[in-house]
Amino acid sequence: MSDPKRLHPIAAMINMLRQLKELIVPILFFTVFGSRGNEIVFYYIAVGGGLVLVLLTGVLSWYRFTYRVEEGELRIEHGLFVRKKRYIPFERIQSLDITEGILQRAFGLVKMKVETAGGSKTENAEAVLTAIKKEEARQIHDFLVSVKNSKRRDEFEEEVIPISESIIYRLSLGDLLLLASTSGGVGVVISAFVAFFFQFEEIIPHEKVYKEVEHFIANGVIFVSIVVFLGFLLAWVISVIGMMVKYANFTLKKVDQDLIITRGLLEKRQMTIPLKRIQAIRISENVLRQPLGRGAVYIESAGGSALNEEGSKVLVLPLIKKQDIAKTLEPFLEDYPFRPKFNKLPPRALSRYLVRGVVIVVPVAITVSYFFRPWGYISLLFILPSLIWSALKYKDAGWAIEKDFLVLRYRTFVKNTVLMRKEKVQSLTARKSFYQKKKRLATIEAVVKSGHSGSGGRVKDLEDRDVNNMYQWFSRDAHHKK
Amino acid sequence: MVPEPQTRISNRALVVWRISGVITSLFSWIIGGGLVTLGVLFDWPVWIITALIILIVIFSYLITFFFPKLRWKRWRYEVREQEIELQRGVFIMKRTLIPMVRVQHVDTQQGPLLRKYQLSTVMISTAATVHEIPALEMDEAEELRRSISRLARVADEDV
């Protein structure tokens, strides 16, 4: 495998398409403003020249890009004017992410991303092979596995440990439907629509539109509501289809010491999470799924890089019955306490939660009601939901310590349960405001690494004594002192 | 409970904080003076102008005398064999534990004001967080930096 290889020619095409995508805006700009009278010739020359340039650089940079496996390193050489070489030792490779885009699929190719331990801060992966044959991807992968195994053999001086592979979870079609229809994706689609229309705000002839809108409303409230409803329905259907395409064939496997996720209908993605790099496990239940007794499980991982946040918070179980989480994951993540004994908040914390819930809403609602009578009174309706929301936050909050694990549960918008191993916690902070002190309450916050930044959990208004216990549990020197 | 951290930060920090408090309140006087002039020119009600002046006076007092004092009184830290503990906060008391094995690196930093009083700030970074001990005597900061790097060196490479 040591002779230098080029990527499949389709890689040149993919790169060209990507460059063209970036050129679309300037070209459109030219088309709108630059094409008048005689100048139209220059316009064609400019656009044509640009296209030829893109074509040439695309082909040339494809020609210059070679990769090979040599002396236990993946060696990549590329660069049009400045020749660049990047040699990545296989020992340092953390994960190989394999994706199949539509173009790659048509030719039986895959895209391979190579990520190393640190993950450079400027680029989202150490190296990307845009289009290679599946067979070659498999060879590189096998080579990586053999390098890692031989290293292990050196360490333990015994035979190669056979690679164990077991499927942890597979998303069924019914669950896929449920997942897609209860995701928050609707909001994203709607806001994308809104953003899209605001792009053209300048062009819209407002007066005409207003007249039409007037006419439109005159047609009756029912008609308007139906149109709005249909709009939302359409947005929802689009988001459902999007989610289904994205999460179709979702499978979670454990291979040797890694968790491997494969998913996707059109674009097939594969992600690898080394077990060693797991920082915390997060169970999220959103409002739509909670009544159905379902939740999602994420892994906070130290992988990924600054620009590739997807590598840091990985969805491992997209939709699962809550009581099945422990059963599904326990065999693979042995020591994690999936069934901890939760301690709740003391009743005297409730009032603080309620006050926090309305401290912004009430003054705003009163001001609005005062100045915009009578419609402003509607804003008073927001007070009750925010009270209920705060009560829910109070009810859901809790904590547990099980051997080496700290488990925090809190609700922001979704209900989160975070399982953190003591060794992985980067810092632990206890807070106590003046009013908390009076009520003998305190707040706890634990931070774990997630990608290149922090994540973790914060529970407010716990029993003062409990926070002290957690602090004591986390302190490594407290025991010697006493 | 884990015993409270014992080491205080330099009492020259108080001077530095007061000076920066004076600078900040100078700005508030300039803005406030402008507003008062406007008020006089355009005949604003007297109570608005009076309230403005009172607010600025209270603000200046708090930021130059009250807060620095309280902040200094509350600030404690301790570097132990296996962890660093910080305690601070004016309104909200915060206590933070940073395990030595999680410390990635330690920086010291010094602005012009701190340099004049031979103080510097120590910043302790973990893989996910940065913690700051403000205004230590320079040699103390250097010593702290060295001892933290020494203790943190035994740390496991893996995050």
Side-chain angles (χ1 to χ4, degrees):
Chain A
M1 257 185 117
S2 64
D3 46 324
K5 282 188 190 128
R6 292 212 170 78
L7 301 175
H8 190 275
I10 205 74
M13 183 115 128
I14 292 171
N15 283 337
M16 275 188 269
L17 285 177
R18 196 183 304 137
Q19 290 219 353
L20 277 180
K21 218 166 74 188
E22 281 163 29
L23 275 178
I24 272 182
V25 175
I27 287 177
L28 277 181
F29 185 79
F30 267 119
T31 325
V32 175
F33 297 104
S35 53
R36 246 175 301 157
N38 294 333
E39 289 162 24
I40 201 158
V41 180
F42 293 108
Y43 160 71
Y44 281 131
I45 289 174
V47 170
L51 287 182
V52 169
L53 210 67
V54 167
L55 215 79
L56 266 178
T57 49
V59 172
L60 279 179
S61 54
W62 166 77
Y63 181 77
R64 280 288 171 85
F65 190 105
T66 64
Y67 69 95
R68 61 188 194 273
V69 176
E70 208 171 70
E71 293 171 29
E73 288 182 327
L74 178 64
R75 298 185 165 174
I76 290 173
E77 297 184 9
H78 64 115
L80 212 53
F81 298 108
V82 186
R83 306 224 68 180
K84 294 168 206 155
K85 294 177 182 179
R86 176 169 277 173
Y87 293 178
I88 305 171
F90 269 87
E91 286 88 2
R92 275 194 55 216
I93 293 179
Q94 282 292 335
S95 69
L96 294 175
D97 279 356
I98 294 170
T99 51
E100 295 172 41
I102 300 173
L103 267 174
Q104 280 102 337
R105 274 199 145 180
F107 294 86
L109 305 168
V110 293
K111 171 176 165 184
M112 185 183 247
K113 266 200 230 169
V114 182
E115 278 185 31
T116 57
S120 66
K121 294 217 164 166
T122 46
E123 285 170 81
N124 46 358
E126 292 277 321
V128 181
L129 304 176
T130 319
I132 56 173
K133 288 207 188 84
K134 267 187 190 158
E135 177 58 27
E136 273 161 33
R138 211 178 50 78
Q139 274 177 22
I140 293 178
H141 182 259
D142 288 350
F143 191 74
L144 176 68
V145 171
S146 77
V147 166
K148 292 215 162 159
N149 273 340
S150 74
K151 196 181 154 204
R152 195 169 301 144
R153 187 167 39 195
D154 292 345
E155 280 170 11
F156 296 109
E157 289 180 4
E158 45 179 71
E159 283 300 295
V160 185
I161 303 157
I163 297 168
S164 60
E165 180 179 321
S166 41
I167 288 170
I168 302 176
Y169 173 78
R170 195 172 263 151
L171 189 64
S172 68
L173 191 64
D175 276 355
L176 176 64
L177 261 169
L178 196 60
L179 168 78
S181 49
T182 55
S183 80
V186 198
V188 178
V189 173
I190 289 174
S191 47
F193 265 124
V194 171
F196 183 73
F197 280 115
F198 272 100
Q199 291 289 310
F200 297 102
E201 212 227 5
E202 299 272 298
I203 313 170
I204 298 171
H206 280 283
E207 252 171 68
K208 206 177 145 202
V209 169
Y210 280 138
K211 237 177 237 163
E212 261 168 32
V213 166
E214 232 173 336
H215 182 67
F216 182 65
I217 291 172
N219 279 338
V221 179
I222 296 170
F223 181 66
V224 173
S225 344
I226 287 174
V227 168
V228 169
F229 175 75
L230 283 180
F232 275 98
L233 194 69
L234 187 71
W236 183 71
V237 168
I238 290 174
S239 91
V240 166
I241 292 171
M243 285 289 283
M244 286 188 70
V245 168
K246 197 173 165 194
Y247 285 102
N249 303 323
F250 186 103
T251 314
L252 176 66
K253 278 188 298 191
K254 183 179 175 183
V255 178
D256 206 18
Q257 290 302 307
D258 298 328
L259 291 179
I260 292 181
I261 294 166
T262 44
R263 63 166 166 83
L265 195 65
L266 296 176
E267 191 184 44
K268 216 165 156 191
R269 290 216 52 175
Q270 180 179 334
M271 287 178 85
T272 310
I273 315 157
L275 284 181
K276 259 170 70 183
R277 297 184 66 82
I278 296 178
Q279 304 290 308
I281 292 182
R282 179 185 297 272
I283 301 166
S284 297
E285 296 159 67
N286 80 12
V287 203
L288 291 174
R289 290 175 194 160
Q290 208 181 345
L292 303 170
R294 311 283 168 120
V297 180
Y298 293 88
I299 284 183
E300 306 272 10
S301 149
S305 54
L307 290 175
N308 181 19
E309 280 302 314
E310 216 173 291
S312 55
K313 192 180 168 198
V314 186
L315 185 57
V316 289
L317 301 178
L319 188 83
I320 186 163
K321 281 209 192 81
K322 259 191 83 184
Q323 62 263 37
D324 289 348
I325 293 175
K327 203 169 64 196
T328 312
L329 288 180
E330 251 164 12
F332 304 98
L333 299 161
E334 287 101 359
D335 34 1
Y336 276 83
F338 287 103
R339 283 178 266 234
K341 230 179 95 256
F342 270 103
N343 302 284
K344 298 305 231 174
L345 304 192
R348 61 181 186 281
L350 177 61
S351 61
R352 281 185 56 82
Y353 271 81
L354 294 180
V355 168
R356 249 201 308 271
V358 295
V359 77
I360 296 170
V361 177
V362 166
V364 169
I366 288 176
T367 323
V368 170
S369 316
Y370 182 78
F371 285 107
F372 301 101
R373 270 175 290 186
W375 290 105
Y377 287 130
I378 293 176
S379 63
L380 293 175
L381 290 178
F382 284 103
I383 295 176
L384 188 66
S386 55
L387 275 176
I388 295 174
W389 199 254
S390 314
L392 266 180
K393 278 185 177 176
Y394 164 80
K395 197 187 126 263
D396 288 332
W399 67 278
I401 285 177
E402 298 261 327
K403 280 177 287 175
D404 265 358
F405 285 87
L406 175 63
V407 186
L408 296 180
R409 175 177 280 175
Y410 60 96
R411 177 187 282 281
T412 48
F413 206 67
V414 295
K415 181 173 160 189
N416 283 289
T417 309
V418 191
L419 290 75
M420 291 168 277
R421 193 194 294 272
K422 184 176 167 184
E423 272 80 64
K424 301 288 185 189
V425 174
Q426 304 283 341
S427 73
L428 187 82
T429 301
R431 281 163 220 270
K432 216 185 287 180
S433 75
F434 176 70
Y435 295 106
Q436 278 179 317
K437 202 173 175 181
K438 259 171 58 180
K439 284 197 155 184
R440 301 192 318 284
L441 298 170
T443 298
I444 193 89
E445 182 179 10
V447 180
V448 292
K449 182 177 159 71
S450 167
H452 273 269
S453 57
S455 171
R458 176 196 281 202
V459 187
K460 289 175 181 160
D461 299 326
L462 289 164
E463 185 90 54
D464 192 2
R465 213 175 33 221
D466 290 348
V467 170
N468 284 351
N469 281 339
M470 279 181 249
Y471 207 77
Q472 183 97 37
W473 166 85
F474 188 67
S475 172
R476 284 146 164 95
D477 283 310
H479 319 286
H480 309 279
K481 279 244 159 181
K482 278 198 169 165
Chain B
M1 187 61 186
V2 187
E4 287 208 339
Q6 291 308 318
T7 331
R8 281 179 183 280
I9 60 174
S10 165
N11 47 10
R12 286 208 300 277
L14 205 52
V15 185
V16 173
W17 287 340
R18 290 217 161 119
I19 292 174
S20 57
V22 167
I23 294 171
T24 316
S25 44
L26 268 181
F27 276 107
S28 78
W29 281 103
I30 291 170
I31 295 169
L35 280 175
V36 168
T37 326
L38 274 178
V40 172
L41 283 178
F42 293 101
D43 289 328
W44 288 359
V46 181
W47 67 268
I48 289 189
I49 297 173
T50 331
L52 211 64
I53 292 173
I54 291 174
L55 267 181
I56 293 172
V57 170
I58 292 177
F59 176 73
S60 306
Y61 167 74
L62 287 179
I63 207 168
T64 33
F65 296 99
F66 187 71
F67 287 153
K69 181 88 190 172
L70 203 59
R71 194 174 162 208
W72 183 81
K73 251 173 83 179
R74 290 278 172 82
W75 240 112
R76 306 276 179 88
Y77 71 94
E78 199 167 304
V79 179
R80 307 190 193 112
E81 192 95 350
Q82 296 178 67
E83 69 198 7
I84 303 161
E85 186 172 14
L86 313 175
Q87 174 180 310
R88 74 263 180 229
V90 174
F91 293 113
I92 301 170
M93 271 288 252
K94 282 172 257 179
R95 287 181 70 176
T96 301
L97 281 173
I98 309 148
M100 221 37 116
V101 287
R102 293 277 76 95
V103 174
Q104 297 275 324
H105 59 266
V106 188
D107 298 318
T108 53
Q109 191 179 295
Q110 202 178 32
L113 206 60
L114 286 176
R115 182 155 359 149
K116 184 161 181 304
Y117 287 87
Q118 304 194 337
L119 299 171
S120 57
T121 297
V122 176
M123 322 238 294
I124 302 157
S125 306
T126 70
T129 54
V130 182
H131 308 269
E132 197 180 286
I133 307 177
L136 288 175
E137 314 256 343
M138 256 163 78
D139 43 350
E140 215 179 316
E142 184 57 29
E143 171 61 33
L144 183 66
R145 197 173 64 81
R146 215 170 291 150
S147 72
I148 293 177
S149 351
R150 182 168 43 82
L151 290 168
R153 198 165 303 148
V154 288
D156 187 3
E157 270 296 301
D158 207 32
V159 271

